[in-house]
Amino acid sequence: MRVVVIDYNGGNLASAAQAARKAAAQQTLDADVTITRDADAILNADRLILPGQGAFADCAHGLGSELRHTLETATERGTPFLGICVGMQLMGEYGLEHGRTEGLGWISGNIRRMDEAADSGLRLPHMGWNTLDFTPGRHFLTEGLEPGCHSYFVHSYALHDGLESELVATADYGGSVPAIVARGNRCGTQFHVEKSQTVGLRILGNFLRWA
């Protein structure tokens, strides 16, 4: 299995790649995990992972038009895609961090500051462990997990105005926060799977086995 972690001058690439290798080993999958932005490698990959760390606008600009086009082509062919944190946010229509920046438009909704949490007196960024709420059996990504399991979040912006049909799991932080989204072969987690220990490795393993 060829797993490509997309290199777009973002952070957390090595951690995501190492977590993917560990998840593959736990699932007894023979996986070659590489970090690259090479178009041929992306188009020939069996799985694509887009980590994200920092501001939406910076990460979006890091992709550039050529890499966006390559990702669009690969995922339209059916290659499973996983976005992590800002990588998930980039799947949305646009982000409002440091001005309006267009996203990939793969899921409905926009990315804006979690004002609901701030208005409730909660600190931003939303940082630390939080529980996941989901319906067991709704999506393969959560197979083997129980509602109430913990994952690790670090973010001040989140998806708003999304579709219920694309929402796999939520967390509560001054209101319901989209935590896992999916449409077709494209999925994403707002939390850091590579920092979420057993739960994160299980989700990564499910992604690697997801058909």
Side-chain angles (χ1 to χ4, degrees), residues 168-189:
V168 175
T170 61
D172 184 77
Y173 197 74
S176 181
V177 178
I180 304 177
V181 296
R183 180 197 284 178
N185 56 301
R186 297 158 170 164
C187 60
T189 65

PDB file of all heavy atoms in Angstrom, residues 168-189:
ATOM      1  N   VAL A 168     -19.871  13.055  10.742  1.00  0.00           N
ATOM      2  CA  VAL A 168     -19.700  11.714  11.302  1.00  0.00           C
ATOM      3  C   VAL A 168     -19.629  11.751  12.817  1.00  0.00           C
ATOM      4  O   VAL A 168     -20.199  10.889  13.496  1.00  0.00           O
ATOM      5  CB  VAL A 168     -18.426  11.056  10.732  1.00  0.00           C
ATOM      6  CG1 VAL A 168     -18.160   9.706  11.395  1.00  0.00           C
ATOM      7  CG2 VAL A 168     -18.545  10.891   9.224  1.00  0.00           C
ATOM      8  N   ALA A 169     -18.941  12.741  13.378  1.00  0.00           N
ATOM      9  CA  ALA A 169     -18.787  12.839  14.832  1.00  0.00           C
ATOM     10  C   ALA A 169     -18.653  14.298  15.242  1.00  0.00           C
ATOM     11  O   ALA A 169     -18.212  15.153  14.458  1.00  0.00           O
ATOM     12  CB  ALA A 169     -17.566  12.050  15.307  1.00  0.00           C
ATOM     13  N   THR A 170     -19.030  14.574  16.486  1.00  0.00           N
ATOM     14  CA  THR A 170     -18.927  15.928  17.033  1.00  0.00           C
ATOM     15  C   THR A 170     -18.241  15.879  18.396  1.00  0.00           C
ATOM     16  O   THR A 170     -18.122  14.824  19.017  1.00  0.00           O
ATOM     17  CB  THR A 170     -20.311  16.583  17.201  1.00  0.00           C
ATOM     18  OG1 THR A 170     -21.089  15.797  18.119  1.00  0.00           O
ATOM     19  CG2 THR A 170     -21.036  16.684  15.872  1.00  0.00           C
ATOM     20  N   ALA A 171     -17.805  17.049  18.836  1.00  0.00           N
ATOM     21  CA  ALA A 171     -17.336  17.245  20.202  1.00  0.00           C
ATOM     22  C   ALA A 171     -18.102  18.435  20.774  1.00  0.00           C
ATOM     23  O   ALA A 171     -18.695  19.214  20.014  1.00  0.00           O
ATOM     24  CB  ALA A 171     -15.832  17.508  20.237  1.00  0.00           C
ATOM     25  N   ASP A 172     -18.107  18.566  22.079  1.00  0.00           N
ATOM     26  CA  ASP A 172     -18.802  19.686  22.702  1.00  0.00           C
ATOM     27  C   ASP A 172     -17.783  20.661  23.293  1.00  0.00           C
ATOM     28  O   ASP A 172     -16.960  20.285  24.126  1.00  0.00           O
ATOM     29  CB  ASP A 172     -19.740  19.197  23.805  1.00  0.00           C
ATOM     30  CG  ASP A 172     -20.534  20.357  24.393  1.00  0.00           C
ATOM     31  OD1 ASP A 172     -21.499  20.797  23.749  1.00  0.00           O
ATOM     32  OD2 ASP A 172     -20.174  20.832  25.493  1.00  0.00           O
ATOM     33  N   TYR A 173     -17.843  21.906  22.825  1.00  0.00           N
ATOM     34  CA  TYR A 173     -16.991  22.955  23.382  1.00  0.00           C
ATOM     35  C   TYR A 173     -17.709  24.278  23.162  1.00  0.00           C
ATOM     36  O   TYR A 173     -17.540  24.935  22.139  1.00  0.00           O
ATOM     37  CB  TYR A 173     -15.612  22.965  22.714  1.00  0.00           C
ATOM     38  CG  TYR A 173     -14.570  23.730  23.507  1.00  0.00           C
ATOM     39  CD1 TYR A 173     -14.027  23.196  24.673  1.00  0.00           C
ATOM     40  CD2 TYR A 173     -14.134  24.985  23.097  1.00  0.00           C
ATOM     41  CE1 TYR A 173     -13.078  23.887  25.417  1.00  0.00           C
ATOM     42  CE2 TYR A 173     -13.185  25.694  23.828  1.00  0.00           C
ATOM     43  CZ  TYR A 173     -12.655  25.134  24.981  1.00  0.00           C
ATOM     44  OH  TYR A 173     -11.711  25.829  25.715  1.00  0.00           O
ATOM     45  N   GLY A 174     -18.572  24.628  24.108  1.00  0.00           N
ATOM     46  CA  GLY A 174     -19.412  25.804  23.942  1.00  0.00           C
ATOM     47  C   GLY A 174     -20.469  25.599  22.883  1.00  0.00           C
ATOM     48  O   GLY A 174     -20.979  26.545  22.289  1.00  0.00           O
ATOM     49  N   GLY A 175     -20.802  24.362  22.603  1.00  0.00           N
ATOM     50  CA  GLY A 175     -21.720  23.978  21.537  1.00  0.00           C
ATOM     51  C   GLY A 175     -21.136  22.819  20.763  1.00  0.00           C
ATOM     52  O   GLY A 175     -20.014  22.365  21.020  1.00  0.00           O
ATOM     53  N   SER A 176     -21.894  22.333  19.815  1.00  0.00           N
ATOM     54  CA  SER A 176     -21.466  21.182  19.026  1.00  0.00           C
ATOM     55  C   SER A 176     -20.402  21.595  18.009  1.00  0.00           C
ATOM     56  O   SER A 176     -20.603  22.527  17.233  1.00  0.00           O
ATOM     57  CB  SER A 176     -22.670  20.573  18.304  1.00  0.00           C
ATOM     58  OG  SER A 176     -22.287  19.444  17.560  1.00  0.00           O
ATOM     59  N   VAL A 177     -19.280  20.902  18.013  1.00  0.00           N
ATOM     60  CA  VAL A 177     -18.166  21.195  17.111  1.00  0.00           C
ATOM     61  C   VAL A 177     -17.948  20.000  16.181  1.00  0.00           C
ATOM     62  O   VAL A 177     -17.763  18.875  16.652  1.00  0.00           O
ATOM     63  CB  VAL A 177     -16.866  21.452  17.904  1.00  0.00           C
ATOM     64  CG1 VAL A 177     -15.701  21.717  16.951  1.00  0.00           C
ATOM     65  CG2 VAL A 177     -17.050  22.611  18.863  1.00  0.00           C
ATOM     66  N   PRO A 178     -18.004  20.189  14.864  1.00  0.00           N
ATOM     67  CA  PRO A 178     -17.726  19.086  13.944  1.00  0.00           C
ATOM     68  C   PRO A 178     -16.332  18.511  14.194  1.00  0.00           C
ATOM     69  O   PRO A 178     -15.340  19.241  14.180  1.00  0.00           O
ATOM     70  CB  PRO A 178     -17.818  19.735  12.562  1.00  0.00           C
ATOM     71  CG  PRO A 178     -18.747  20.897  12.754  1.00  0.00           C
ATOM     72  CD  PRO A 178     -18.405  21.415  14.128  1.00  0.00           C
ATOM     73  N   ALA A 179     -16.270  17.195  14.427  1.00  0.00           N
ATOM     74  CA  ALA A 179     -14.998  16.553  14.755  1.00  0.00           C
ATOM     75  C   ALA A 179     -14.532  15.604  13.662  1.00  0.00           C
ATOM     76  O   ALA A 179     -13.330  15.460  13.436  1.00  0.00           O
ATOM     77  CB  ALA A 179     -15.115  15.798  16.079  1.00  0.00           C
ATOM     78  N   ILE A 180     -15.465  14.925  12.997  1.00  0.00           N
ATOM     79  CA  ILE A 180     -15.149  14.078  11.844  1.00  0.00           C
ATOM     80  C   ILE A 180     -16.181  14.356  10.769  1.00  0.00           C
ATOM     81  O   ILE A 180     -17.387  14.372  11.038  1.00  0.00           O
ATOM     82  CB  ILE A 180     -15.169  12.569  12.183  1.00  0.00           C
ATOM     83  CG1 ILE A 180     -14.221  12.244  13.333  1.00  0.00           C
ATOM     84  CG2 ILE A 180     -14.794  11.741  10.950  1.00  0.00           C
ATOM     85  CD1 ILE A 180     -14.256  10.773  13.746  1.00  0.00           C
ATOM     86  N   VAL A 181     -15.715  14.577   9.542  1.00  0.00           N
ATOM     87  CA  VAL A 181     -16.609  14.795   8.411  1.00  0.00           C
ATOM     88  C   VAL A 181     -16.224  13.836   7.286  1.00  0.00           C
ATOM     89  O   VAL A 181     -15.090  13.360   7.220  1.00  0.00           O
ATOM     90  CB  VAL A 181     -16.551  16.251   7.899  1.00  0.00           C
ATOM     91  CG1 VAL A 181     -17.040  17.225   8.955  1.00  0.00           C
ATOM     92  CG2 VAL A 181     -15.126  16.607   7.458  1.00  0.00           C
ATOM     93  N   ALA A 182     -17.168  13.565   6.424  1.00  0.00           N
ATOM     94  CA  ALA A 182     -16.884  12.687   5.285  1.00  0.00           C
ATOM     95  C   ALA A 182     -17.907  12.907   4.189  1.00  0.00           C
ATOM     96  O   ALA A 182     -19.092  13.117   4.452  1.00  0.00           O
ATOM     97  CB  ALA A 182     -16.887  11.225   5.710  1.00  0.00           C
ATOM     98  N   ARG A 183     -17.404  12.887   2.967  1.00  0.00           N
ATOM     99  CA  ARG A 183     -18.264  12.850   1.780  1.00  0.00           C
ATOM    100  C   ARG A 183     -17.571  11.947   0.764  1.00  0.00           C
ATOM    101  O   ARG A 183     -16.465  12.247   0.310  1.00  0.00           O
ATOM    102  CB  ARG A 183     -18.495  14.232   1.177  1.00  0.00           C
ATOM    103  CG  ARG A 183     -19.407  14.177  -0.073  1.00  0.00           C
ATOM    104  CD  ARG A 183     -19.315  15.438  -0.916  1.00  0.00           C
ATOM    105  NE  ARG A 183     -20.031  16.548  -0.323  1.00  0.00           N
ATOM    106  CZ  ARG A 183     -20.064  17.783  -0.861  1.00  0.00           C
ATOM    107  NH1 ARG A 183     -19.385  18.019  -1.971  1.00  0.00           N
ATOM    108  NH2 ARG A 183     -20.743  18.750  -0.278  1.00  0.00           N
ATOM    109  N   GLY A 184     -18.193  10.840   0.443  1.00  0.00           N
ATOM    110  CA  GLY A 184     -17.595   9.903  -0.491  1.00  0.00           C
ATOM    111  C   GLY A 184     -16.278   9.375   0.042  1.00  0.00           C
ATOM    112  O   GLY A 184     -16.180   8.936   1.192  1.00  0.00           O
ATOM    113  N   ASN A 185     -15.240   9.426  -0.775  1.00  0.00           N
ATOM    114  CA  ASN A 185     -13.926   8.914  -0.384  1.00  0.00           C
ATOM    115  C   ASN A 185     -13.049   9.967   0.290  1.00  0.00           C
ATOM    116  O   ASN A 185     -11.872   9.726   0.554  1.00  0.00           O
ATOM    117  CB  ASN A 185     -13.179   8.371  -1.616  1.00  0.00           C
ATOM    118  CG  ASN A 185     -13.047   9.412  -2.715  1.00  0.00           C
ATOM    119  OD1 ASN A 185     -14.049   9.933  -3.209  1.00  0.00           O
ATOM    120  ND2 ASN A 185     -11.826   9.728  -3.118  1.00  0.00           N
ATOM    121  N   ARG A 186     -13.641  11.127   0.607  1.00  0.00           N
ATOM    122  CA  ARG A 186     -12.900  12.207   1.258  1.00  0.00           C
ATOM    123  C   ARG A 186     -13.410  12.382   2.685  1.00  0.00           C
ATOM    124  O   ARG A 186     -14.605  12.555   2.910  1.00  0.00           O
ATOM    125  CB  ARG A 186     -13.078  13.502   0.484  1.00  0.00           C
ATOM    126  CG  ARG A 186     -12.533  13.466  -0.945  1.00  0.00           C
ATOM    127  CD  ARG A 186     -13.199  14.520  -1.798  1.00  0.00           C
ATOM    128  NE  ARG A 186     -12.555  14.685  -3.102  1.00  0.00           N
ATOM    129  CZ  ARG A 186     -13.128  15.303  -4.123  1.00  0.00           C
ATOM    130  NH1 ARG A 186     -14.355  15.815  -4.006  1.00  0.00           N
ATOM    131  NH2 ARG A 186     -12.486  15.418  -5.285  1.00  0.00           N
ATOM    132  N   CYS A 187     -12.496  12.335   3.646  1.00  0.00           N
ATOM    133  CA  CYS A 187     -12.894  12.465   5.046  1.00  0.00           C
ATOM    134  C   CYS A 187     -11.873  13.314   5.789  1.00  0.00           C
ATOM    135  O   CYS A 187     -10.776  13.589   5.280  1.00  0.00           O
ATOM    136  CB  CYS A 187     -13.039  11.090   5.703  1.00  0.00           C
ATOM    137  SG  CYS A 187     -11.525  10.104   5.705  1.00  0.00           S
ATOM    138  N   GLY A 188     -12.232  13.749   6.979  1.00  0.00           N
ATOM    139  CA  GLY A 188     -11.320  14.587   7.744  1.00  0.00           C
ATOM    140  C   GLY A 188     -11.644  14.571   9.224  1.00  0.00           C
ATOM    141  O   GLY A 188     -12.784  14.322   9.619  1.00  0.00           O
ATOM    142  N   THR A 189     -10.628  14.841  10.044  1.00  0.00           N
ATOM    143  CA  THR A 189     -10.798  14.951  11.487  1.00  0.00           C
ATOM    144  C   THR A 189     -10.314  16.320  11.947  1.00  0.00           C
ATOM    145  O   THR A 189      -9.218  16.740  11.578  1.00  0.00           O
ATOM    146  CB  THR A 189      -9.994  13.864  12.237  1.00  0.00           C
ATOM    147  OG1 THR A 189      -8.589  14.072  12.031  1.00  0.00           O
ATOM    148  CG2 THR A 189     -10.378  12.469  11.749  1.00  0.00           C
TER     149      THR A 189
END
